[in-house]
Amino acid sequence: MPKPYDPTNVFARILRGEIPNKTVLETAHTLAFHDISAQAPVHVLIIPKGAYIDFADFAAHASANELVDFHRAAATVCEILGLTGPEGYRAITNAGLHGMQEVPHYHLHILGGRVLGRLVERP
Ligand code: AMP
């Protein structure tokens, strides 16, 4: 049985305007803002405005408009942040215990501005 969405999570509170954020882009269905604890010179989070827990939940249940809006917004954020050159960037999402997802509202991390190393440490 999957867990229900927790409306008290920090990103839900940001979406309700209860917590401030440093917005990069807002669209009909998507919000992008700077991570509060940046792990790279550029570290932005892209979140859907809808109540989705993780990637699988978003992919399975979001409308076509939400899915398109989210991915186009993420690409626009990369352009706004100057990440579309040859240096590139990384887009990642965490889920569950092994992925060590901390905030249970789906989000894509966009990281850039330095060489980011391997995706994961080898054991
Ligand atoms: P994850 O571990 O993938 O769930 O990532 C959660 C991210 O949310 C972390 O990188 C945190 O630094 C970030 N974060 C937590 N609270 C806030 C906040 N109020 N504003 C911006 N980013 C936040």
Side-chain angles (χ1 to χ4, degrees), residues 83-94:
L83 297 176
T84 54
E87 294 84 3
Y89 56 91
R90 181 170 291 156
I92 54 172
T93 187
N94 298 316

Side-chain angles (χ1 to χ4, degrees), residues 10-11 33-37 94 100-103 107 109:
V10 67
F11 294 167
F33 54 91
H34 291 277
D35 194 293
I36 204 166
S37 179
N94 298 316
M100 298 185 71
Q101 180 179 5
E102 289 174 12
V103 179
H107 51 284
H109 296 256

Side-chain angles (χ1 to χ4, degrees), residues 52-108:
Y52 303 104
I53 295 172
D54 58 16
F55 169 74
D57 187 21
F58 184 60
H61 300 116
S63 68
N65 280 346
E66 289 175 296
L67 290 164
V68 169
D69 185 272
F70 182 87
H71 291 94
R72 297 248 163 92
T76 301
V77 164
C78 291
E79 285 175 17
I80 290 170
L81 298 171
L83 297 176
T84 54
E87 294 84 3
Y89 56 91
R90 181 170 291 156
I92 54 172
T93 187
N94 298 316
L97 294 176
H98 285 187
M100 298 185 71
Q101 180 179 5
E102 289 174 12
V103 179
H105 181 111
Y106 174 50
H107 51 284
L108 192 64

Side-chain angles (χ1 to χ4, degrees), residues 4-21:
Y5 179 82
D6 172 10
T8 68
N9 78 74
V10 67
F11 294 167
R13 298 185 64 201
I14 285 174
L15 287 167
R16 289 196 296 268
E18 296 167 7
I19 296 177
N21 74 91

